[in-house]
mmCIF file of all heavy atoms in Angstrom:
data_model
loop_
_atom_site.group_PDB
_atom_site.id
_atom_site.type_symbol
_atom_site.label_atom_id
_atom_site.label_comp_id
_atom_site.label_asym_id
_atom_site.label_seq_id
_atom_site.Cartn_x
_atom_site.Cartn_y
_atom_site.Cartn_z
ATOM 1 N N SER K 41 10.735 27.067 23.153
ATOM 2 C CA SER K 41 11.718 27.497 24.143
ATOM 3 C C SER K 41 12.526 26.281 24.613
ATOM 4 O O SER K 41 11.995 25.193 24.774
ATOM 5 C CB SER K 41 10.984 28.159 25.309
ATOM 6 O OG SER K 41 11.456 27.640 26.528
ATOM 7 N N GLN K 42 13.806 26.456 24.810
ATOM 8 C CA GLN K 42 14.666 25.336 25.161
ATOM 9 C C GLN K 42 14.741 25.075 26.667
ATOM 10 O O GLN K 42 15.358 24.129 27.093
ATOM 11 C CB GLN K 42 16.083 25.563 24.620
ATOM 12 C CG GLN K 42 16.170 25.568 23.105
ATOM 13 C CD GLN K 42 15.957 24.187 22.522
ATOM 14 O OE1 GLN K 42 16.554 23.221 22.956
ATOM 15 N NE2 GLN K 42 15.074 24.066 21.541
ATOM 16 N N THR K 43 14.094 25.915 27.440
ATOM 17 C CA THR K 43 14.168 25.704 28.879
ATOM 18 C C THR K 43 13.111 24.691 29.321
ATOM 19 O O THR K 43 12.002 24.684 28.815
ATOM 20 C CB THR K 43 13.945 27.021 29.654
ATOM 21 O OG1 THR K 43 12.704 27.581 29.235
ATOM 22 C CG2 THR K 43 15.059 28.007 29.402
ATOM 23 N N THR K 44 13.508 23.831 30.223
ATOM 24 C CA THR K 44 12.551 22.846 30.718
ATOM 25 C C THR K 44 12.388 23.053 32.216
ATOM 26 O O THR K 44 13.183 23.729 32.863
ATOM 27 C CB THR K 44 13.042 21.405 30.491
ATOM 28 O OG1 THR K 44 14.156 21.160 31.335
ATOM 29 C CG2 THR K 44 13.414 21.163 29.048
ATOM 30 N N HIS K 45 11.328 22.491 32.732
ATOM 31 C CA HIS K 45 11.130 22.476 34.173
ATOM 32 C C HIS K 45 10.435 21.186 34.511
ATOM 33 O O HIS K 45 9.923 20.501 33.627
ATOM 34 C CB HIS K 45 10.319 23.688 34.633
ATOM 35 C CG HIS K 45 9.110 23.930 33.791
ATOM 36 N ND1 HIS K 45 7.940 23.250 33.968
ATOM 37 C CD2 HIS K 45 8.918 24.736 32.726
ATOM 38 C CE1 HIS K 45 7.064 23.638 33.064
ATOM 39 N NE2 HIS K 45 7.629 24.543 32.285
ATOM 40 N N THR K 46 10.418 20.826 35.762
ATOM 41 C CA THR K 46 9.814 19.572 36.198
ATOM 42 C C THR K 46 8.402 19.453 35.657
ATOM 43 O O THR K 46 7.573 20.328 35.852
ATOM 44 C CB THR K 46 9.797 19.515 37.737
ATOM 45 O OG1 THR K 46 11.139 19.611 38.178
ATOM 46 C CG2 THR K 46 9.190 18.207 38.222
ATOM 47 N N SER K 47 8.159 18.332 34.955
ATOM 48 C CA SER K 47 6.846 18.125 34.364
ATOM 49 C C SER K 47 5.867 17.602 35.397
ATOM 50 O O SER K 47 6.231 16.852 36.292
ATOM 51 C CB SER K 47 6.942 17.126 33.210
ATOM 52 O OG SER K 47 7.934 17.527 32.297
ATOM 53 N N GLN K 48 4.616 18.022 35.265
ATOM 54 C CA GLN K 48 3.582 17.505 36.163
ATOM 55 C C GLN K 48 2.524 16.715 35.420
ATOM 56 O O GLN K 48 1.730 16.004 36.030
ATOM 57 C CB GLN K 48 2.949 18.665 36.935
ATOM 58 C CG GLN K 48 3.974 19.307 37.853
ATOM 59 C CD GLN K 48 3.366 20.281 38.827
ATOM 60 O OE1 GLN K 48 2.205 20.164 39.199
ATOM 61 N NE2 GLN K 48 4.154 21.250 39.248
ATOM 62 N N THR K 49 2.515 16.850 34.099
ATOM 63 C CA THR K 49 1.564 16.083 33.294
ATOM 64 C C THR K 49 2.296 15.508 32.084
ATOM 65 O O THR K 49 3.401 15.927 31.755
ATOM 66 C CB THR K 49 0.413 16.961 32.780
ATOM 67 O OG1 THR K 49 0.999 18.066 32.079
ATOM 68 C CG2 THR K 49 -0.462 17.461 33.902
ATOM 69 N N SER K 50 1.637 14.535 31.439
ATOM 70 C CA SER K 50 2.212 13.942 30.238
ATOM 71 C C SER K 50 1.887 14.810 29.026
ATOM 72 O O SER K 50 0.886 15.505 29.011
ATOM 73 C CB SER K 50 1.620 12.553 30.009
ATOM 74 O OG SER K 50 1.904 11.721 31.108
ATOM 75 N N THR K 51 2.771 14.744 28.043
ATOM 76 C CA THR K 51 2.464 15.419 26.780
ATOM 77 C C THR K 51 2.757 14.472 25.628
ATOM 78 O O THR K 51 3.709 13.697 25.665
ATOM 79 C CB THR K 51 3.308 16.698 26.570
ATOM 80 O OG1 THR K 51 4.657 16.397 26.860
ATOM 81 C CG2 THR K 51 2.836 17.845 27.427
ATOM 82 N N LEU K 52 1.913 14.547 24.619
ATOM 83 C CA LEU K 52 2.057 13.695 23.451
ATOM 84 C C LEU K 52 2.461 14.562 22.277
ATOM 85 O O LEU K 52 1.817 15.564 21.983
ATOM 86 C CB LEU K 52 0.716 13.007 23.154
ATOM 87 C CG LEU K 52 0.711 11.987 22.023
ATOM 88 C CD1 LEU K 52 1.547 10.775 22.376
ATOM 89 C CD2 LEU K 52 -0.726 11.559 21.717
ATOM 90 N N ILE K 53 3.569 14.183 21.636
ATOM 91 C CA ILE K 53 3.998 14.969 20.478
ATOM 92 C C ILE K 53 4.115 14.046 19.265
ATOM 93 O O ILE K 53 4.267 12.838 19.396
ATOM 94 C CB ILE K 53 5.353 15.685 20.713
ATOM 95 C CG1 ILE K 53 6.476 14.670 20.961
ATOM 96 C CG2 ILE K 53 5.258 16.685 21.846
ATOM 97 C CD1 ILE K 53 7.852 15.185 20.634
ATOM 98 N N THR K 54 4.050 14.649 18.087
ATOM 99 C CA THR K 54 4.257 13.898 16.855
ATOM 100 C C THR K 54 5.619 14.266 16.306
ATOM 101 O O THR K 54 5.971 15.441 16.229
ATOM 102 C CB THR K 54 3.157 14.229 15.830
ATOM 103 O OG1 THR K 54 1.913 13.825 16.378
ATOM 104 C CG2 THR K 54 3.384 13.486 14.527
ATOM 105 N N VAL K 55 6.398 13.235 15.977
ATOM 106 C CA VAL K 55 7.778 13.436 15.558
ATOM 107 C C VAL K 55 7.992 12.851 14.166
ATOM 108 O O VAL K 55 7.409 11.821 13.826
ATOM 109 C CB VAL K 55 8.755 12.745 16.533
ATOM 110 C CG1 VAL K 55 10.196 13.137 16.245
ATOM 111 C CG2 VAL K 55 8.398 13.030 17.969
ATOM 112 N N THR K 56 8.848 13.491 13.397
ATOM 113 C CA THR K 56 9.226 12.951 12.095
ATOM 114 C C THR K 56 10.567 12.245 12.230
ATOM 115 O O THR K 56 11.523 12.820 12.744
ATOM 116 C CB THR K 56 9.364 14.084 11.056
ATOM 117 O OG1 THR K 56 8.138 14.803 11.024
ATOM 118 C CG2 THR K 56 9.673 13.530 9.678
ATOM 119 N N LEU K 57 10.632 11.005 11.788
ATOM 120 C CA LEU K 57 11.897 10.280 11.806
ATOM 121 C C LEU K 57 12.757 10.827 10.667
ATOM 122 O O LEU K 57 12.286 10.920 9.534
ATOM 123 C CB LEU K 57 11.627 8.787 11.589
ATOM 124 C CG LEU K 57 12.818 7.849 11.824
ATOM 125 C CD1 LEU K 57 13.116 7.724 13.306
ATOM 126 C CD2 LEU K 57 12.544 6.479 11.221
ATOM 127 N N PRO K 58 14.014 11.207 10.951
ATOM 128 C CA PRO K 58 14.856 11.711 9.854
ATOM 129 C C PRO K 58 14.923 10.661 8.735
ATOM 130 O O PRO K 58 15.087 9.478 9.029
ATOM 131 C CB PRO K 58 16.226 11.899 10.509
ATOM 132 C CG PRO K 58 15.946 12.052 11.966
ATOM 133 C CD PRO K 58 14.715 11.215 12.232
ATOM 134 N N PRO K 59 14.784 11.090 7.467
ATOM 135 C CA PRO K 59 14.747 10.131 6.357
ATOM 136 C C PRO K 59 15.982 9.237 6.292
ATOM 137 O O PRO K 59 15.910 8.115 5.798
ATOM 138 C CB PRO K 59 14.681 11.032 5.125
ATOM 139 C CG PRO K 59 14.173 12.335 5.618
ATOM 140 C CD PRO K 59 14.618 12.477 7.031
ATOM 141 N N SER K 60 17.111 9.708 6.815
ATOM 142 C CA SER K 60 18.346 8.924 6.752
ATOM 143 C C SER K 60 18.406 7.817 7.810
ATOM 144 O O SER K 60 19.306 6.981 7.786
ATOM 145 C CB SER K 60 19.554 9.845 6.923
ATOM 146 O OG SER K 60 19.454 10.539 8.145
ATOM 147 N N VAL K 61 17.449 7.830 8.736
ATOM 148 C CA VAL K 61 17.425 6.771 9.750
ATOM 149 C C VAL K 61 16.658 5.564 9.205
ATOM 150 O O VAL K 61 15.508 5.695 8.810
ATOM 151 C CB VAL K 61 16.760 7.264 11.063
ATOM 152 C CG1 VAL K 61 16.564 6.111 12.041
ATOM 153 C CG2 VAL K 61 17.594 8.360 11.702
ATOM 154 N N PRO K 62 17.320 4.390 9.139
ATOM 155 C CA PRO K 62 16.632 3.213 8.611
ATOM 156 C C PRO K 62 15.529 2.739 9.536
ATOM 157 O O PRO K 62 15.607 2.931 10.749
ATOM 158 C CB PRO K 62 17.731 2.149 8.513
ATOM 159 C CG PRO K 62 18.951 2.726 9.116
ATOM 160 C CD PRO K 62 18.667 4.097 9.623
ATOM 161 N N THR K 63 14.535 2.100 8.945
ATOM 162 C CA THR K 63 13.471 1.526 9.765
ATOM 163 C C THR K 63 13.579 0.014 9.748
ATOM 164 O O THR K 63 14.192 -0.561 8.859
ATOM 165 C CB THR K 63 12.073 1.924 9.226
ATOM 166 O OG1 THR K 63 11.954 1.444 7.898
ATOM 167 C CG2 THR K 63 11.881 3.414 9.257
ATOM 168 N N GLY K 64 12.988 -0.622 10.745
ATOM 169 C CA GLY K 64 13.044 -2.063 10.869
ATOM 170 C C GLY K 64 12.484 -2.784 9.664
ATOM 171 O O GLY K 64 12.960 -3.850 9.279
ATOM 172 N N SER K 65 11.482 -2.179 9.057
ATOM 173 C CA SER K 65 10.874 -2.814 7.893
ATOM 174 C C SER K 65 11.683 -2.529 6.635
ATOM 175 O O SER K 65 11.372 -2.988 5.557
ATOM 176 C CB SER K 65 9.437 -2.323 7.731
ATOM 177 O OG SER K 65 9.386 -0.920 7.806
ATOM 178 N N ASN K 66 12.725 -1.748 6.778
ATOM 179 C CA ASN K 66 13.508 -1.336 5.615
ATOM 180 C C ASN K 66 14.982 -1.281 6.003
ATOM 181 O O ASN K 66 15.668 -0.290 5.792
ATOM 182 C CB ASN K 66 13.031 0.050 5.157
ATOM 183 C CG ASN K 66 13.422 0.320 3.734
ATOM 184 O OD1 ASN K 66 14.069 -0.497 3.088
ATOM 185 N ND2 ASN K 66 13.048 1.484 3.247
ATOM 186 N N LYS K 67 15.468 -2.374 6.587
ATOM 187 C CA LYS K 67 16.785 -2.394 7.227
ATOM 188 C C LYS K 67 17.953 -2.059 6.320
ATOM 189 O O LYS K 67 18.928 -1.482 6.744
ATOM 190 C CB LYS K 67 17.043 -3.783 7.824
ATOM 191 C CG LYS K 67 16.227 -4.093 9.040
ATOM 192 C CD LYS K 67 16.712 -5.397 9.646
ATOM 193 C CE LYS K 67 15.926 -5.779 10.887
ATOM 194 N NZ LYS K 67 14.673 -6.460 10.597
ATOM 195 N N TYR K 68 17.831 -2.468 5.089
ATOM 196 C CA TYR K 68 19.028 -2.401 4.251
ATOM 197 C C TYR K 68 19.055 -1.209 3.314
ATOM 198 O O TYR K 68 19.713 -1.224 2.294
ATOM 199 C CB TYR K 68 19.188 -3.718 3.498
ATOM 200 C CG TYR K 68 19.154 -4.873 4.460
ATOM 201 C CD1 TYR K 68 18.075 -5.731 4.528
ATOM 202 C CD2 TYR K 68 20.198 -5.046 5.380
ATOM 203 C CE1 TYR K 68 18.040 -6.753 5.458
ATOM 204 C CE2 TYR K 68 20.161 -6.065 6.313
ATOM 205 C CZ TYR K 68 19.086 -6.925 6.345
ATOM 206 O OH TYR K 68 19.045 -7.919 7.272
#
Side-chain angles (χ1 to χ4, degrees):
S41 132
Q42 294 289 311
T43 55
T44 69
H45 47 82
T46 301
S47 307
Q48 295 191 27
T49 55
S50 300
T51 47
L52 185 67
I53 62 156
T54 298
V55 189
T56 304
L57 190 73
S60 58
V61 172
T63 60
S65 49
N66 200 358
K67 288 188 180 83
Y68 307 108

